Amino acid sequence: MNMPWWQELWRRHAHITTPLRARGLPCDIEFGLSAYIVRVSLPDDSYLIISPPQEPPSDHPPGDPEGWIATREHPDDQTLFEVLYDSAPSNNPGTRRRPKARHGGSAQPMIEAIDLRLAQLGLLPHPALPHESPHVHPAQPTPPPPSRDISGTPGRGPAYVYGDALRDLTDRLNAAESHADAAALLHQILEPTDGLLAQLGEFFEAAGEKAKEAEEDDGFDLSYDLADAAAEIRSLGEVLHVAEDRMRALTPLAPAPRLPSTPARAPSLPPRALPSAPPRHTR
C-alpha cells in the first residue's frame, strides 16, 4: 500500500519534528529553494528554518541529507539572521572544514544546539525532555488495552476492545488539566504515521483489499467504498495536522474574580399600620 506523500514526508522528518514539538514548538514542512525544509515557529514571532544544503541542491532523499543547516529569522526584521547550526559539508576543497560537519546528517547534535540557543534566548517553551515530563506526552504511546476476548462472552454480547480504548482516551481528554495535556492526547489521534487516524485509514484500505478477494461484483463495489473511506480519513488527518500545535498554543482563561459578598441588610421595619377606614353611614 502506498502511503500518501504528505504522510511519507512527515515520517521522513519525524526525527526532527518530534523532539521540537515535544518542546512546545509548532512545526511545519514546506518546500524551500530546492528541497523540503522544516519551519519552526518561536514564541517571539521569529522562526527557525531547518534545511539540507540547497545551493547546490542535495541529492539525498528528504529527511536524510548529508548535513543540516538551522537558521533563525524574523518576518518583520530583516536584520535578524542567525545560524544556529551548520553541519553541511563544504563545497570548496580549500575551505576549512566546519567543526559540526563531522556530524553530517545526524539530527541529535542539531537538536541539542537548538535547545541550548533557544534556552539562552528564553524561547524554549518546554525544555524538559519527553521522558522527564510527569504529564502525558506525545512521544509516549497510550498503553494498550488489556487483552480481552473480542468475540465476547456468553450473555454479555461482543466486547468492543478498541472502542473502549478510544472511550478511555476521550475520558482522559475530558479530564486533562491543561491544553498541553489535551494536545498530547490529540497527538495520539493525529500523528501522521502512527496515529489513530493514519492507522484507521490503513485498516479500511486493508478491508477493501480483503473484500476484493471474494472476486465478486459486490466485493469489488465494497472495496471501492472502503477505499473512499480510507481516503476521506487520510484527508481529515491532513486538514487537522496542525490541530495539536494549535491546541498547545491556547492560553487557559483566567478564573473570573470573585465579587465581594453583599453585606447583610438591616432588618426591615414592620409595616406601618394603615388608618382605620371611617365608619360607613347607611341611610
Side-chain angles (χ1 to χ4, degrees):
M1 291 178 289
N2 294 325
M3 183 178 293
W5 67 268
W6 62 271
Q7 282 191 331
E8 177 66 15
L9 199 58
W10 277 93
R11 186 188 68 80
R12 287 177 177 270
H13 291 84
H15 57 308
I16 303 294
T17 59
T18 298
L20 294 176
R21 293 171 73 182
R23 288 153 174 77
L25 298 171
C27 300
D28 207 351
I29 298 177
E30 305 171 355
F31 193 79
L33 295 175
S34 61
Y36 286 101
I37 64 174
V38 178
R39 183 186 180 100
V40 186
S41 300
L42 298 178
D44 67 344
D45 294 331
S46 64
Y47 56 87
L48 302 181
I49 296 295
I50 300 174
S51 72
Q54 300 204 62
E55 292 181 345
S58 171
D59 57 358
H60 286 232
D64 186 25
E66 61 269 49
W68 290 106
I69 303 170
T71 61
R72 176 171 169 252
E73 306 172 37
H74 197 289
D76 300 325
D77 184 0
Q78 301 302 317
T79 63
L80 176 58
F81 182 85
E82 178 183 5
V83 178
L84 278 66
Y85 185 84
D86 187 352
S87 65
S90 174
N91 296 318
N92 188 344
T95 304
R96 184 179 178 182
R97 187 186 184 195
R98 299 183 182 93
K100 295 183 177 62
R102 68 183 186 276
H103 299 306
S106 176
Q108 185 60 33
M110 178 180 65
I111 298 298
E112 292 174 356
I114 291 174
D115 268 349
L116 178 62
R117 182 55 180 152
L118 294 187
Q120 292 172 344
L121 296 171
L123 297 176
L124 198 60
H126 304 302
L129 295 176
H131 63 276
E132 296 173 341
S133 174
H135 298 292
V136 179
H137 197 277
Q140 297 172 344
T142 301
S147 176
R148 291 194 288 180
D149 181 8
I150 296 178
S151 61
T153 55
R156 293 190 179 182
Y160 296 100
V161 178
Y162 308 107
D164 288 345
L166 187 56
R167 187 178 297 108
D168 291 341
L169 196 64
T170 302
D171 291 341
R172 293 172 65 187
L173 179 61
N174 287 330
E177 297 179 355
S178 69
H179 290 102
D181 290 348
L185 294 169
L186 272 178
H187 182 84
Q188 297 292 327
I189 306 296
L190 301 176
E191 203 283 327
T193 55
D194 298 317
L196 186 143
L197 275 186
Q199 295 306 310
L200 193 58
E202 296 288 335
F203 176 85
F204 278 109
E205 187 167 340
E209 294 298 320
K210 181 60 66 175
K212 287 182 183 179
E213 294 177 5
E215 296 185 351
E216 299 176 3
D217 289 343
D218 192 49
F220 287 111
D221 290 342
L222 176 58
S223 72
Y224 300 145
D225 292 340
L226 292 169
D228 288 344
E232 290 183 12
I233 290 170
R234 287 167 176 155
S235 176
L236 179 61
E238 185 173 2
V239 169
L240 295 175
H241 78 282
V242 294
E244 175 193 346
D245 294 330
R246 292 175 63 188
M247 175 68 78
R248 183 175 285 106
L250 294 176
T251 303
L253 293 175
R258 299 183 62 181
L259 297 176
S261 57
T262 305
R265 298 177 59 185
S268 57
L269 297 175
R272 296 176 59 185
L274 296 176
S276 57
R280 298 180 62 185
H281 299 279
T282 58
R283 296 180 63 182

